[in-house]
Amino acid sequence: MKIIASDDHRQHAPEFELAPGAFNPIFEIPDRAEIVLRSLQEHEVGTVIAPSAQADDAMLQIHERSYVEFLQTAHDDYRQLGGKGNPTACVWPRGNMRSDSSDSIIAKFGRYCFDGAVPITESTYEAVIASRDIALTATKQVYDGDRAAFALCRPPGHHAGPSYAGGYCYLNNAAIAAQWLLNNNVSQVAILDIDYHHGNGTQEIFYERGDVAFVSIHCDPNFEYPYYAGHEDEKGRGDGEGFNLNLPLPRKTGLDAWLGVLNAGISFIQSTSPDYLIVSLGVDTFENDPIASFRIRTGDYRGIGKRIAEMELPTIFIFEGGYAVSELGENVAALLSGFEASF
């Protein structure tokens, strides 16, 4: 298995996020990627290669050009206004307010960010483009014949929608990877999102499309972020009807219940006959994750990886969440080792 990684993620290192009641130190920190890479190397999981620069085509099919331009210029525009620090959204249009009625950078943050957990630093854009390039390099490795590849993407991506950032996510790496495959004569792709939080951005991007089946296993949005998406009755619309499956679970879900739902998701994916599988790999399902509540243990991830391998599909793993930093690398290594041991 090739592991695609780059030091460019370090260019995105904001200090704070807006949480209920306070600005708190941000959980999505550069150490996350460093620790995962070190653990994979220690466990001799795969071979590390650098990403190559990729074209913008698939990204601009997934994300609106005006949104991408916002990501590119937001920090400079904020500084030109006289702002200090790393800006994040603080006001949002609601009701009959016109979301496009102001060119103020403050208004644009409200237009293009759905929460306060996506601060933009001077070099955030460079980091998110590097993260995209990692995802596409891994995708090309598998497209060219590898059984699997792991894209060590940071920042993550599954909360980013067509025209918005949120939940630490700016560009939707999994969606861009799927679009690239479809652009290269692939008929059907499946995305399996096993992050603790629902992949609302990925769902929205493909909700009316039948060429990408989306399955998300996550904590019930009735009481967990992102709250406004991820419910069982969201099954797709138009051409996408029947290609979207949400499998929400209660707090404190343990391995047995989680695996039961995984089996249901795998059956759904197999029914769509995909040519490739993309796994949005979040390990914030871990029992000690500071912003989650599931009860998966480090040793459990090996079996999860094995079960995913049993689908026998060319597989691209794309790194998403996981914030128990000290155990993060071991959890990712366990899942990928379990996958690799199955073939």
Side-chain angles (χ1 to χ4, degrees), residues 16-232:
F16 299 101
E17 62 179 283
L18 176 61
F23 274 98
N24 291 333
I26 197 165
F27 283 103
E28 207 291 289
I29 57 175
D31 282 356
R32 298 177 63 246
E34 315 273 340
I35 287 169
V36 169
L37 182 59
R38 187 162 58 246
S39 183
L40 293 175
Q41 291 173 317
E42 290 172 354
H43 288 276
E44 299 181 345
V45 179
T47 303
V48 180
I49 66 171
S52 55
Q54 303 292 323
D56 291 343
D57 305 38
M59 175 184 72
L60 292 175
Q61 289 173 273
I62 294 299
H63 294 289
E64 294 180 11
R65 184 178 293 272
S66 62
Y67 167 64
V68 175
E69 291 172 350
F70 160 76
L71 294 178
Q72 189 170 15
T73 64
H75 191 272
D76 285 348
D77 290 348
Y78 175 72
R79 286 299 179 90
Q80 288 175 15
L81 191 67
K84 301 184 188 314
N86 298 316
T88 189
C90 62
V91 59
W92 290 268
R94 294 297 301 271
N96 293 326
M97 294 180 180
R98 294 170 53 194
S99 64
D100 60 350
S101 64
S102 172
D103 287 329
S104 164
I105 186 57
I106 305 303
K108 286 183 178 180
F109 267 92
R111 185 183 311 157
Y112 293 121
C113 304
F114 79 87
D115 64 25
V118 278
I120 295 181
T121 73
E122 184 177 8
S123 52
T124 289
Y125 185 72
E126 287 75 16
V128 299
I129 290 295
S131 188
R132 177 207 67 182
D133 288 350
I134 287 170
L136 288 179
T137 302
T139 303
K140 289 184 178 183
Q141 286 290 142
V142 176
Y143 181 79
D144 288 340
D146 284 9
R147 173 69 174 79
F150 174 57
L152 183 46
C153 292
R154 181 184 173 272
H158 73 149
H159 294 306
S163 61
Y164 59 80
Y168 310 139
C169 302
Y170 301 82
L171 294 178
N172 195 308
N173 300 309
I176 293 168
Q179 186 63 54
W180 186 92
L181 288 168
L182 295 167
N183 290 349
N184 285 273
N185 301 313
V186 171
S187 298
Q188 191 72 33
V189 178
I191 299 177
L192 173 63
D193 191 324
I194 59 173
D195 191 277
Y196 174 82
H197 303 95
H198 178 251
N200 61 285
T202 313
Q203 172 175 290
E204 181 172 342
I205 288 164
F206 297 115
Y207 202 65
E208 298 185 10
R209 293 174 54 172
D211 50 2
V212 177
F214 178 62
V215 175
S216 181
I217 303 169
H218 52 273
C219 194
D220 193 328
N222 278 306
F223 44 78
E224 188 55 90
Y225 183 94
Y227 304 108
Y228 307 114
H231 301 275
E232 285 182 292

